[in-house]
Amino acid sequence: MTENEISTKIIGLAIEVHRILGPGLLENAYKECLFYKINKSGLFVEKEKALPLIFEEVKLDCGYRVDLLVEKKFVIEIKSVESLNEIHLAQTLTYLKLGKFKLGLLINFNEILLKNGIRRVVNNL
């Protein structure tokens, strides 16, 4: 499955979760529910996947963790904030770069209409 196909599937699942829960919950509630839906759909998903930082020859565990990593190649960063800003996009792009992943989604579940809270983030490797 390509990153674009995964993206399409994840957006559909996120919309299902949002339709049931609505906005206003903590980030962790959305993460757990989306993790469950992705797993149930048959895709391989890891939660709180650690990403080390490699500086020169040294591998550093700096505590970077991707909210959800799908099929070992697609990053999902989940937020529940008033609005997304540049630091959220930068964080997601950093995860893509550290893991050498091509594509990810930044999803803010604290929106009345979820499509307004979804951003595709691309790493131009």
Side-chain angles (χ1 to χ4, degrees):
M1 193 174 242
T2 68
E3 285 89 346
N4 282 325
E5 291 169 328
I6 293 169
S7 178
T8 300
K9 189 163 192 163
I10 297 305
I11 290 171
L13 294 172
I15 289 170
E16 283 183 44
V17 168
H18 189 266
R19 192 176 298 129
I20 294 166
L21 298 178
L25 300 176
L26 295 175
E27 177 183 312
N28 201 44
Y30 298 111
K31 182 178 6 178
E32 292 297 328
C33 292
L34 188 55
F35 174 80
Y36 169 78
K37 292 293 282 183
I38 295 168
N39 198 32
K40 188 176 172 188
S41 79
L43 292 174
F44 178 75
V45 59
E46 298 169 273
K47 184 174 25 171
E48 296 292 327
K49 178 69 176 173
L51 279 182
L53 172 64
I54 299 174
F55 180 75
E56 295 180 354
E57 305 85 38
V58 181
K59 183 177 176 180
L60 305 168
D61 182 9
C62 296
Y64 293 115
R65 296 194 181 281
V66 174
D67 284 339
L68 300 172
L69 183 63
V70 181
E71 296 290 320
K72 297 190 179 288
K73 63 182 175 180
F74 188 88
V75 170
I76 303 171
E77 186 61 25
I78 297 172
K79 300 293 180 198
S80 183
V81 293
E82 188 173 323
S83 63
L84 293 174
N85 59 44
E86 293 302 314
I87 197 68
H88 299 125
L89 289 167
Q91 177 188 20
T92 307
L93 185 56
T94 295
Y95 292 159
L96 291 173
K97 288 179 179 179
L98 287 175
K100 297 181 176 61
F101 306 119
K102 292 180 191 173
L103 184 63
L105 288 174
L106 171 59
I107 305 174
N108 181 18
F109 278 91
N110 199 30
E111 291 280 350
I112 298 298
L113 191 59
L114 186 63
K115 75 175 191 172
N116 295 334
I118 298 174
R119 302 284 181 273
R120 282 173 48 101
V121 184
V122 179
N123 179 12
N124 294 321
L125 303 175

